[in-house]
């Protein structure tokens, strides 16, 4: 357990479904991130939140909708996804400005779109 | 943006062997982190190392920031060391850029 918890661990959804990924951190961090990891590609940054405010959207399609109700929780709402969106979605948190320990990642949600 | 290159991309080791993984980056960075991704997908922090050398058990890492590279050493490898090792560099406002990873397989 790293202090960042993601649920569910696995998700299979149809292209017309709506689902949400959840991330929770207990580290007192103020920055939270969503990353996408596809096969044979580097991790891609999707969204950044600092103190609950979105500070970066890395040209992510609108079918991915993040929500950060407080500094400890981060959601990724999914709707009308495409098969190419199948990937491992990783959440991370960090102290704002870096700090001594950098990013801490959750275990990820492995998403399959059918 | 910053380019992060890791080599070798794939490595097969006999249990007990030593190995070195390399990470080159294209620009000055604020910091650098090595991760190990286990078969279940979790990224485990190994080292947070802007410069110098750190050791943790059989693993050690060295970053030479002025020459824009970092090395991860695995000594006396074990099957549990298998997985993907990622180098990630910090730039800008605490942003993290990843390399493509080193896929390591340790065979008994």
């Amino acid at each position: 357990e790293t202090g960042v918890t993601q649920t569910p661990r696995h998700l299979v959804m149809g292209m017309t479904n709506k689902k949400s990924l959840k991330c929770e951190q207990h580290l007192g961090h103020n920055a939270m991130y969503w990353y996408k990891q596809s096969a044979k590609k580097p991790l891609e940054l999707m969204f950044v939140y600092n103190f609950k405010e979105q500070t970066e959207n890395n040209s992510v399609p609108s079918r991915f909708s993040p929500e950060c109700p407080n500094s400890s929780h981060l959601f990724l709402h999914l709707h009308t996804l495409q098969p190419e969106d199948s990937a491992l979605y990783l959440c991370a948190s960090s102290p704002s400005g870096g700090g001594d320990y950098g990013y801490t990642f959750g275990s990820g949600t492995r998403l399959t779109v059918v | 943006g910053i380019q992060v290159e890791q080599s070798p991309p794939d490595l097969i080791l006999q249990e007990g062997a030593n190995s070195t993984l390399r990470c080159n980056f294209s620009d000055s960075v604020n910091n650098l982190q090595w991760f190990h991704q286990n078969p279940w997908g979790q990224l485990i922090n190994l080292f947070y190392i802007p410069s110098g050398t750190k050791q943790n058990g059989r693993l050690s890492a060295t970053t030479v920031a002025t020459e824009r590279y970092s090395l991860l050493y695995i000594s006396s490898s074990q099957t549990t060391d298998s997985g993907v090792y990622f180098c990630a560099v910090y730039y800008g406002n605490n942003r993290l850029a990843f390399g493509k990873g080193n896929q390591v397989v340790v065979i008994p």
Side-chain angles (χ1 to χ4, degrees), chain B residues 5-77:
Chain B
E5 294 185 3
Q6 294 185 239
S7 60
D10 300 287
L11 185 63
I12 299 177
L13 295 171
Q14 194 74 43
E15 195 170 28
N18 304 325
S19 65
T20 301
L21 309 179
R22 186 176 180 101
C23 172
N24 293 329
F25 41 96
S26 62
D27 207 341
S28 299
V29 298
N30 301 330
N31 219 318
L32 184 145
Q33 198 163 357
W34 282 98
F35 295 92
H36 176 222
Q37 188 169 41
N38 63 26
W40 297 273
Q42 187 164 17
L43 281 170
I44 306 295
N45 174 51
L46 297 177
F47 296 101
Y48 188 66
I49 179 167
S51 63
T53 297
K54 291 186 177 180
Q55 179 150 11
N56 184 0
R58 296 179 297 99
L59 301 181
S60 64
T62 295
T63 296
V64 184
T66 53
E67 297 185 23
R68 300 181 186 169
Y69 74 89
S70 183
L71 303 173
L72 180 69
Y73 305 95
I74 305 174
S75 64
S76 304
S77 58

Side-chain angles (χ1 to χ4, degrees), chain A residues 35-37 41-45 90 105, chain B residues 37 43 86 98-99:
Chain A
Y35 278 83
K36 176 183 178 182
Q37 186 179 22
K41 287 187 176 181
L43 275 76
E44 303 170 55
L45 177 65
L90 290 160
F105 281 82
Chain B
Q37 188 169 41
L43 281 170
F86 286 101
F98 282 82

Side-chain angles (χ1 to χ4, degrees), chain A residues 11 20 22 30-32 34 56-57 73 75 84 90 95 106 108:
Chain A
L11 178 62
S20 296
K22 180 181 176 182
N30 290 309
M32 296 188 76
W34 279 116
E56 190 162 337
N57 175 339
H73 294 86
F75 296 89
E84 60 264 29
L90 290 160

Side-chain angles (χ1 to χ4, degrees), chain A residues 11-68:
Chain A
L11 178 62
V12 179
M13 60 185 289
M15 289 189 285
T16 58
N17 292 157
K18 290 184 179 180
K19 296 287 185 184
S20 296
L21 310 185
K22 180 181 176 182
C23 177
E24 185 174 0
Q25 58 97 2
H26 308 281
L27 301 169
H29 293 165
N30 290 309
M32 296 188 76
Y33 313 84
W34 279 116
Y35 278 83
K36 176 183 178 182
Q37 186 179 22
S38 304
K40 301 297 183 183
K41 287 187 176 181
L43 275 76
E44 303 170 55
L45 177 65
M46 300 175 72
F47 301 103
V48 180
Y49 278 81
N50 274 287
F51 296 94
K52 303 187 301 178
E53 299 299 320
Q54 185 182 122
T55 55
E56 190 162 337
N57 175 339
N58 200 20
S59 302
V60 180
S62 60
R63 56 186 185 270
F64 295 90
S65 174
E67 179 190 1
C68 188

